[in-house]
Amino acid sequence: MSPGKVTVAQLRQMKGRQKIAALTAYDFAMAQLLDACGVPLLLVGDSLGMVVLGHPDTTHVTMEEMIHHVRAAARAKPNALLVADLPFRSYETPAQAVANAMRFVEAGADAVKAEGGRAILESVRAIIAAGIPFLGHLGMLPQQVLEEGGYHIKGKIEVEHAGLLADAAALCDAGAFAIVLELVTPPVARELTQRVSVPTIGIGSGPDCDGQILVTTDLLGTSPGRIPKHAQPANLAEAIRTTVTAWKAAL
Ligand code: KIV
């Protein structure tokens, strides 16, 4: 391991001391660039289904597609912890979850992420028992978009609030090293952050999480679809249009 490599233990120690910055990286070039910025956690997220592959949501992404992108990002040999996102229906049983998590590790990932809490606990426990670090993901779960009929903020009603607390506690007890909180109401995200011993990494969940994660193309302003409010994007799409138009005109 390179001396500068970020470890799961270091990330855990950042809780309460230093905000954790995390971004998605789907290829060699972006992983290298973001790593050079000192971002400690890079996620090969299944959001690549939308922002790279042109699908309407993440439910179309396959293990083969994810492995292709994990390999590309891993070739950058980032100091950042490289986390790979288990896609839709790739962790339905503990055996399937471990087999797919192992494929990611063979492709160069340092850890894996999957969506859900108590509902996927047996798979989470099996992944961790196999020695693979696990990043949790609670709140709005994009892989459930078809079942839920859209992307909804979580934690507004008591049953969701209680469910999030129970899910976060279960993931912690199982040994997750951190938990992504997506579109959780800010007061509930703050409460979860105070209650759990591992870092929370928010996306659209307010300022009080231990860290923040964004889809990198949302941050840069190059995502093909609507960019979420929480991203406050740069406008690199406009910079690309201006540069290409000027180059074309000067031929
Ligand atoms: O797939 C992804 O990019 C994610 C982040 C938004 C957390 O899961």
Side-chain angles (χ1 to χ4, degrees):
M1 203 198 299
S2 100
K5 184 76 186 174
V6 175
T7 64
V8 163
Q10 284 167 345
L11 274 175
R12 289 184 68 145
Q13 281 162 10
M14 286 168 80
K15 185 175 176 83
R17 296 196 172 93
Q18 196 185 339
K19 288 277 183 184
I20 298 171
L23 286 168
T24 61
Y26 313 119
D27 61 31
F28 172 81
M30 193 54 82
Q32 197 173 57
L33 196 53
L34 300 178
D35 196 51
C37 299
V39 176
L41 190 157
L42 295 178
L43 171 69
V44 186
D46 64 352
S47 51
L48 68 82
M50 282 112 83
V51 301
V52 177
L53 302 178
H55 291 302
D57 56 61
T58 59
T59 64
H60 304 265
V61 178
T62 65
M63 269 305 292
E64 279 60 41
E65 287 166 341
M66 288 302 300
I67 285 172
H68 175 80
H69 287 277
V70 171
R71 282 202 184 112
R75 278 183 207 113
K77 298 195 177 12
N79 278 328
L81 195 81
L82 187 67
V83 183
D85 216 358
L86 284 160
F88 188 51
R89 295 208 163 147
S90 69
Y91 48 98
E92 291 191 323
T93 65
Q96 184 197 27
V98 171
N100 283 327
M102 300 277 278
R103 291 177 75 194
F104 278 163
V105 171
E106 280 156 22
D110 303 308
V112 302
K113 173 170 90 59
E115 296 180 7
R118 287 160 298 164
I120 62 160
L121 211 56
E122 291 312 313
S123 292
V124 174
R125 288 201 184 108
I127 289 169
I128 294 168
I132 301 170
F134 182 82
L135 173 62
H137 185 155
L138 296 175
M140 192 281 290
L141 306 179
Q143 291 173 12
Q144 294 186 3
V145 65
L146 300 179
E147 268 166 83
E148 299 207 350
Y151 301 106
H152 305 296
I153 294 174
K154 295 295 164 111
K156 282 184 178 164
I157 53 173
E158 185 44 36
V159 66
E160 285 176 0
H161 172 212
L164 283 165
L165 289 176
D167 283 337
L171 288 177
C172 270
D173 287 349
F177 70 85
I179 304 173
V180 169
L181 299 179
E182 181 157 6
L183 293 189
V184 173
T185 59
V188 173
R190 190 186 322 120
E191 184 185 352
L192 283 166
T193 301
Q194 285 164 354
R195 285 203 185 199
V196 296
S197 58
V198 300
T200 59
I201 304 181
I203 174 162
S205 300
D208 297 321
C209 297
D210 296 304
Q212 298 289 334
I213 185 164
L214 285 177
V215 170
T216 297
T217 54
D218 287 347
L219 177 64
L220 300 181
T222 58
S223 288
R226 193 184 64 82
I227 295 183
K229 271 193 290 207
H230 56 254
Q232 298 174 328
N235 200 345
L236 290 202
E238 188 51 33
I240 292 170
R241 278 191 288 271
T242 308
T243 307
V244 172
T245 308
W247 169 79
K248 189 166 145 276
L251 287 180

